[in-house]
């Protein structure tokens, strides 16, 4: 693996990895709740169906962005290097698109704008994730992953709190929240400059397009997919679960969303730091990445047995502990199973689909289950998915 340690050391890069993850996670988290609130105002009778369509379209375009953006990033030759042009371009696309969604009440245009926003987010994630294999030596990847995971969790927390505060004026929120990405893109371009690589030879296109054949690569993909899907089965319809299932008003539900997200952020802040440091010191990743889904499954039991506001908050407390530990080490696991450093952004983009594809599956499966059987069925399926995620991760052989 080629490490550009002469450009940025981990002590300097870490805070910018944190900032880069926060920059997309905050508007990403806020946009879902704000769109749900917007649809509840504009089309209350069809809000679930329209929201599902938006979520599916956004997840598809995000997946396209992670793979295509990663592929093009790997092959980019410019004075700014491989990553900066794509971070800057994707940030502008995402910000303009989500702000435009807040400026119209045409449901088709809102859906198109949201899909373009997610395309920009997917491209951003692919380019940002590649900064770790580009700059970080193997012995520090766990700590770098912890910085990135902590930034993601801070972004999720901030996005949830902002969305809860703006849930009664969702259009204003959609206009305001995405511009953080543009600001951070400029900061990253200045603080983490890419090396001028215009003289580097281009890779053969056929090799760049070939998907990895590594068994462990795809097991890591499946583990991430199942774990994120287990969480999204509950959280995708969180606002509607609070209003339609538990009977809260939209304003009260917004406050609960903010409280639950803050709870996740506080608890995950502890686990993300501890897990990242432990992974580097022990040289073991699988116990953390495989153990987190097991703890998530245990946290689902109270919610399954007695659905209430109290058990939902207990569940989100468990989500905070598990998600923090998982994200602090998951990125290190993904880097560890990369088969070729020359296609790092492309391959990390493929692995990122394990995070975005659940956004396609969860709204469809969750919507069908909620309509046909009820919310308890969603809880059962989420528990099974969490256990399956742990089993898959433990099957990885090349990583301890």
């Amino acid at each position: 693996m080629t490490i550009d340690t002469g450009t940025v050391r981990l002590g300097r890069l870490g805070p910018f990895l944190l900032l880069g993850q926060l920059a997309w996670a905050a508007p990403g988290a806020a946009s879902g709740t704000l769109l749900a609130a917007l649809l509840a105002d504009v089309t209350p009778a069809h809000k679930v169906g329209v929201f599902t369509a938006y979520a599916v379209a956004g997840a598809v375009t995000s997946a396209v962005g992670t793979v295509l953006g990663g592929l093009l990033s790997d092959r980019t030759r410019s004075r700014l290097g491989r990553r900066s042009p794509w971070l800057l371009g994707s940030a502008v696309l995402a910000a303009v698109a989500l702000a435009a969604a807040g400026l119209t009440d045409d449901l088709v245009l809102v859906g198109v704008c949201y899909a373009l926003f997610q395309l920009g987010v997917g491209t951003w994630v692919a380019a940002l994730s590649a900064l770790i294999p580009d700059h970080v030596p193997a012995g520090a990847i766990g700590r770098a992953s912890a910085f990135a995971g902590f930034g993601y969790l801070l972004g999720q927390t901030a996005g949830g709190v902002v969305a809860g505060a703006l849930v009664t004026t969702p259009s204003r929120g959609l206009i305001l929240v995405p511009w953080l990405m543009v600001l951070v893109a400029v900061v990253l371009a200045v603080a983490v400059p890419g090396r001028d690589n215009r003289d580097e030879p281009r890779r053969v296109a056929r090799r760049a397009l070939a998907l990895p054949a590594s068994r462990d690569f795809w097991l890591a993909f499946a583990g991430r997919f199942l774990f994120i899907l287990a969480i999204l089965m509950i959280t995708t319809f969180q606002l509607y679960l609070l209003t339609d299932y538990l009977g809260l008003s939209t304003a009260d539900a917004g406050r609960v969303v903010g409280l639950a997200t803050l709870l996740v952020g506080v608890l995950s802040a502890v686990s993300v730091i501890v897990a990242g440091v432990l992974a580097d010191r022990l040289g073991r990743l699988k116990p953390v990445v495989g153990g987190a889904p097991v703890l998530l499954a245990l946290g689902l039991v109270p919610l399954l047995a007695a659905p209430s506001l109290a058990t939902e908050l207990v569940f989100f407390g468990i989500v905070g502990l598990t998600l923090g530990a998982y994200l602090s080490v998951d990125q290190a696991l993904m880097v560890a199973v990369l088969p070729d450093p020359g296609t790092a952004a492309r391959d990390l983009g493929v692995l990122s689909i394990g995070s975005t594809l659940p956004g396609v599956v969860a709204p469809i499966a969750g919507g069908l289950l909620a309509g046909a059987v009820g919310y308890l069925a969603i809880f059962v399926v989420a528990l099974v998915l969490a256990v399956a995620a742990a089993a898959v991760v433990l099957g990885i052989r090349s990583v301890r």
Side-chain angles (χ1 to χ4, degrees):
M1 180 180 293
T2 301
I3 304 295
D4 191 7
T5 53
T7 302
V8 184
R9 299 175 62 182
L10 176 59
R12 181 183 169 194
L13 178 63
F16 293 106
L17 291 174
L18 185 155
L19 190 61
Q21 291 287 348
L22 185 152
W24 77 265
S31 62
T33 299
L34 293 172
L35 277 178
L38 180 68
L39 294 175
D41 291 339
V42 175
T43 178
H46 306 288
K47 61 184 180 182
V48 173
V50 177
F51 181 76
T52 298
Y54 286 178
V56 170
V60 170
T61 54
S62 179
V64 171
T66 55
V67 176
L68 186 59
L71 172 63
L72 294 175
S73 173
D74 284 332
R75 295 173 58 79
T76 293
R77 304 294 180 266
S78 77
R79 186 175 61 84
L80 297 176
R82 293 187 290 179
R83 315 305 178 194
S84 292
W86 292 96
L87 289 171
L88 291 165
S90 62
V92 171
L93 172 62
V96 170
L98 193 61
L103 294 172
T104 179
D105 56 3
D106 184 292
L107 294 180
V108 174
L109 287 179
V110 171
V112 170
C113 289
Y114 183 66
L116 290 174
F117 164 71
Q118 291 290 359
L119 178 67
V121 166
T123 305
W124 171 279
V125 169
L128 182 71
S129 298
L131 292 178
I132 293 180
D134 281 356
H135 295 288
V136 180
I141 285 178
R143 281 168 288 162
S145 179
F147 273 111
F150 191 42
Y152 172 81
L153 293 167
L154 285 177
Q156 289 283 304
T157 302
V161 171
V162 168
L166 297 174
V167 72
T168 56
T169 55
S171 294
R172 181 184 302 175
L174 292 171
I175 294 170
L176 294 176
V177 296
W179 296 99
L180 177 63
M181 289 182 68
V182 176
L183 176 62
V184 172
V186 174
V187 171
L188 290 175
V190 174
V192 191
R195 180 176 56 83
D196 187 338
N197 64 344
R198 287 174 290 182
D199 294 334
E200 286 185 6
R202 295 189 180 275
R203 300 174 66 85
V204 178
R206 183 179 298 176
R207 183 183 177 189
L209 291 171
L211 290 176
S214 167
R215 170 186 176 275
D216 285 352
F217 179 93
W218 292 109
L219 285 176
F221 175 94
R224 174 182 275 189
F225 169 80
L226 292 168
F227 179 71
I228 299 299
L229 181 59
I231 294 176
L232 289 184
M233 289 294 289
I234 309 295
T235 60
T236 295
F237 295 99
Q238 182 185 2
L239 183 67
Y240 299 154
L241 185 152
L242 291 169
T243 56
D244 299 349
Y245 188 63
L246 298 182
L248 300 182
S249 67
T250 299
D252 287 341
R255 285 189 283 272
V256 172
V257 169
L259 176 61
T261 308
L262 185 61
L263 183 63
V264 170
V266 170
L267 292 176
S268 63
V270 177
S271 60
V272 72
I273 296 171
V274 172
V277 173
L278 276 178
D280 275 341
R281 289 186 177 178
L282 299 177
R284 299 178 69 87
L285 304 177
K286 285 168 59 176
V288 177
V289 181
V294 174
L295 184 56
L296 179 68
L298 294 176
L300 278 163
V301 173
L303 191 58
L304 177 62
S308 67
L309 182 57
T311 53
E312 177 166 338
L313 291 176
V314 169
F315 167 71
F316 275 97
I318 298 297
V319 168
L321 293 174
T322 59
L323 193 60
Y326 185 88
L327 291 175
S328 71
V329 182
D330 174 62
Q331 188 70 30
L333 179 69
M334 298 300 131
V335 172
V337 300
L338 291 179
D340 183 354
T343 58
R346 193 276 317 264
D347 293 341
L348 286 170
V350 173
L351 289 170
S352 293
I353 296 177
S355 300
T356 57
L357 187 58
V360 177
V361 178
I364 297 174
L368 291 174
L369 286 171
V373 184
Y375 283 98
L376 285 177
I378 296 178
F379 302 149
V380 172
V381 170
L383 190 151
V384 172
L385 290 169
V387 173
V392 167
V393 170
L394 292 177
I396 296 175
R397 298 172 181 168
S398 62
V399 180
R400 297 177 61 196

